Amino acid sequence: MSILKDILYGVSLLKVVGSTESEVNAICFDSRKVMPGVLFVAVRGTASDGHAFIDKAIDLGATSILCEEFPSTLREHINYFLVDHSAKALGIIASNFYDKPSAKLKLVGVTGTNGKTTIATLLFQLFRDLGYKTGLLSTVQNQINDLIIPATHTTPDPIALNALLHDMVKSGCDYCFMEVSSHAVAQSRIEGLDFTGGIFTNLTHDHLDFHKTFDSYLRAKKGFFDHLNKKAFALTNIDDKNGMVMLQNTEAHKKSYGLKNIADFKAKIIENHFSGLLLNIDHEEVWFKMVGSFNAYNLLAVYSAALLLEQDRLKVLTSLSRLSGAEGRFDYMISPSGIIGIVDYAHTPDAVQNVLSTIQDIRKGTEQVITVIGCGGDRDQSKRPVMAQVACDWSDKVILTSDNPRTEVPEQIIRDMEAGVMPQNKRKALSITDRKEAIRTACHLAKPGDIIVVAGKGHEKYQDVGGEKLPFDDKEILTEFLNLVS
């Protein structure tokens, strides 16, 4: 049980009807989950407005209501609190309710379009290898030391997020590394959190279905750094054209990493093979298991953050050289006949180009690159033709297929992609709606030495069709067909 005045600490209350001395046993913003004795926070969401469910919440037992607009009739024995921004208040309340867990460990957030999952996962693996109890909040999974908790969002809602951080504190975690999505910043999910540091990866075309404009997307990412305090560090990719923009208004200690420009932390690619990368990092040559220039940036970001967290440089490099990153990120396999298969989560034009350009850098030149790619339904439609164009420009053959169509017709999504296939690329592209059949076809088209890239879903173990999540695993299916054709 918590006293209202304690969990409302730091919230700017415009009006109070009732008492702040009452007890509540939980906080809730989803009326379907209301139980007796809760504080219900009415949040205006993208799909629904919590204010429409205030009466339902009270009927289910809510004893206190926090909202931006009082209902026309106030019920007796119910506490009402008026604020100007419920979502921001919810973050502060959730942090207070769970006894400010983010202040009791070192919390580092990673934001940007590409690389968030890899960097957060590598930091988690690194710090565990260095002997620390550590937590992870990522797209692939949430983890508290050895305990794996399935992830439903890149960044959980404020209540779930603070509950997880509270569990990490109870488990003795020294650090937590988390992905910070642009949605989370825009929806105030990280309000009330105390970050030790923030990392910016890069910014490219994504999530414009939600943010509408690239500038809005940029401002959401930048908002994370704007709220870092003067004790934190803000680490940016200086080679990205928006890298320094992220740090313009932050009070945090500004640091940079890069391969091309002058930076606080510098690296150079010496060798790049399917078997790994040889990098010179701060004048130390180290071989890493990960592949490609985009992973050189990821590794450098992890190294830089670890040093900013006062870890020993040589121990960090030694440990990093043993790690292999996140599931579904450039997952690499070779069939018995020598066909190379790569599964990657790349679902933005830039991410697809990163994967395919990396292959271009490594390939011998005689082998084919066959790319299987789709676009998600109910998401940014403007990137669909661009995705197809990038795939065609960097591949010898491209199979356009279904990804997670959700509530859209898969054939229409593919038609949107086909608009990006330029006349000179028509011969190399074909469309197969069934994703499993598309992967099977790619395997039958491949000869020994060829490279098959299956992009878009990575670690996901399902395909979302009509709102139903059906079992589907790109890596499992690709492995099966590669073995059949060998």
Side-chain angles (χ1 to χ4, degrees):
M1 299 287 282
S2 297
I3 306 295
L4 277 168
K5 69 177 182 182
D6 294 332
I7 63 173
L8 290 169
Y9 180 78
V11 176
S12 180
L13 299 176
L14 303 178
K15 190 174 181 180
V16 175
V17 175
S19 171
T20 60
E21 298 294 333
S22 301
E23 290 185 336
V24 291
N25 54 29
I27 49 176
C28 184
F29 68 97
D30 184 341
S31 62
R32 296 167 296 183
K33 299 178 181 177
V34 170
M35 297 178 294
V38 308
L39 165 64
F40 177 70
V41 181
V43 176
R44 300 189 196 277
T46 52
S48 62
D49 184 350
H51 291 76
F53 302 97
I54 288 175
D55 284 335
K56 178 187 174 184
I58 294 172
D59 290 341
L60 290 170
T63 54
S64 300
I65 303 293
L66 185 140
C67 53
E68 296 172 14
E69 183 181 346
F70 279 168
S72 54
T73 302
L74 302 185
R75 299 209 208 173
E76 287 187 28
H77 312 300
I78 301 296
N79 305 305
Y80 293 90
F81 305 100
L82 189 70
V83 296
D84 62 0
H85 200 305
S86 295
K88 287 185 177 180
L90 177 61
I92 297 168
I93 291 166
S95 176
N96 289 338
F97 185 82
Y98 286 102
D99 200 22
K100 295 184 171 64
S102 61
K104 297 178 178 178
L105 43 66
K106 292 183 178 177
L107 176 64
V108 177
V110 188
T111 197
T113 305
N114 303 312
K116 297 187 297 295
T117 304
T118 297
I119 290 171
T121 303
L122 281 173
L123 280 165
F124 171 78
Q125 294 173 347
L126 169 64
F127 275 73
R128 291 209 70 197
D129 196 49
L130 292 173
Y132 296 99
K133 292 182 177 180
T134 310
L136 171 68
L137 296 167
S138 82
T139 303
V140 175
Q141 65 193 31
N142 301 318
Q143 197 163 342
I144 304 173
N145 297 315
D146 291 322
L147 177 65
I148 295 172
I149 303 152
T152 56
H153 293 78
T154 298
T155 309
D157 69 70
I159 298 173
L161 179 51
N162 279 278
L164 282 165
L165 290 170
H166 177 69
D167 289 343
M168 290 177 190
V169 171
K170 283 200 302 182
S171 298
C173 288
D174 306 290
Y175 294 89
C176 173
F177 302 103
M178 70 175 282
E179 294 184 52
V180 177
S181 69
S182 56
H183 291 67
V185 179
Q187 295 172 345
S188 302
R189 284 186 234 157
I190 59 169
E191 198 73 28
L193 297 185
D194 185 358
F195 285 92
T196 300
I199 303 169
F200 172 71
T201 63
N202 48 66
L203 199 69
T204 62
H205 187 125
D206 200 16
H207 299 308
L208 299 195
D209 56 310
F210 177 81
H211 295 287
K212 307 305 178 190
T213 67
F214 187 81
D215 183 62
S216 175
Y217 179 43
L218 182 150
R219 281 187 283 109
K221 295 291 189 188
K222 184 176 178 297
F224 169 54
F225 294 94
D226 291 349
H227 285 87
L228 292 177
N229 64 46
K230 59 181 68 174
K231 294 179 181 177
F233 67 81
L235 175 65
T236 194
N237 175 1
I238 203 166
D239 292 345
D240 187 278
K241 64 182 179 182
N242 294 297
M244 293 312 294
V245 174
M246 293 294 139
L247 307 190
Q248 281 175 355
N249 303 108
T250 188
E251 293 183 349
H253 298 287
K254 300 176 183 180
K255 296 292 179 180
S256 61
Y257 66 96
L259 302 181
K260 301 171 184 173
N261 296 295
I262 296 171
D264 296 302
F265 301 97
K266 193 96 168 95
K268 181 181 179 182
I269 299 174
I270 300 170
E271 293 180 28
N272 185 13
H273 307 285
F274 279 122
S275 55
L277 276 168
L278 180 62
L279 299 182
N280 185 307
I281 295 187
D282 283 347
H283 311 296
E284 197 79 41
E285 287 193 9
V286 184
W287 179 264
F288 299 96
K289 292 181 179 180
M290 300 174 71
V291 181
S293 59
F294 61 97
N295 273 324
Y297 279 102
N298 293 336
L299 287 161
L300 181 57
V302 171
Y303 166 79
S304 307
L307 265 60
L308 291 171
L309 292 168
E310 301 179 338
Q311 300 305 304
D312 180 80
R313 188 172 72 93
L314 289 179
K315 285 182 180 177
V316 167
L317 288 173
T318 301
S319 180
L320 270 179
S321 69
R322 296 194 290 260
L323 302 180
S324 54
E327 181 187 3
R329 273 63 177 174
F330 215 91
D331 261 0
Y332 167 83
M333 65 200 81
I334 303 178
S335 78
S337 67
I339 299 170
I340 294 168
I342 295 166
V343 171
D344 196 274
Y345 187 55
H347 59 280
T348 67
D350 187 68
V352 173
Q353 184 170 328
N354 280 341
V355 171
L356 295 176
S357 64
T358 289
I359 292 167
Q360 189 68 36
D361 290 341
I362 299 171
R363 67 187 292 197
K364 296 169 185 172
T366 54
E367 66 279 66
Q368 292 186 106
V369 175
I370 304 168
T371 300
V372 178
I373 190 167
C375 286
D378 302 333
R379 297 293 186 269
D380 183 5
Q381 295 181 13
S382 64
K383 73 179 181 183
R384 293 172 185 174
V386 186
M387 295 271 284
Q389 183 179 347
V390 169
C392 287
D393 287 347
W394 290 87
S395 310
D396 298 291
K397 287 189 175 71
V398 175
I399 303 174
L400 304 179
T401 189
S402 182
D403 189 294
N404 289 321
R406 300 184 176 87
T407 64
E408 285 196 66
V409 177
E411 288 80 6
Q412 181 56 53
I413 298 172
I414 293 170
R415 282 194 290 273
D416 291 343
M417 295 184 73
E418 287 171 343
V421 180
M422 298 295 102
Q424 66 271 23
N425 289 328
K426 295 282 186 188
R427 289 182 297 106
K428 65 167 71 171
L430 66 150
S431 300
I432 300 174
T433 303
D434 185 285
R435 190 174 181 91
K436 186 171 183 177
E437 181 61 23
I439 296 171
R440 187 189 72 82
T441 301
C443 293
H444 279 282
L445 289 173
K447 301 179 181 64
D450 286 350
I451 302 159
I452 298 171
V453 179
V454 181
K457 289 174 56 58
H459 65 281
E460 292 177 351
K461 302 294 189 288
Y462 64 86
Q463 189 171 30
D464 190 330
V465 181
E468 184 181 358
K469 291 187 175 180
L470 306 174
F472 199 98
D473 186 327
D474 278 356
K475 187 174 182 179
E476 185 180 282
I477 291 166
L478 179 58
T479 303
E480 175 191 340
F481 286 132
L482 281 177
N483 288 333
L484 287 175
V485 298
S486 296

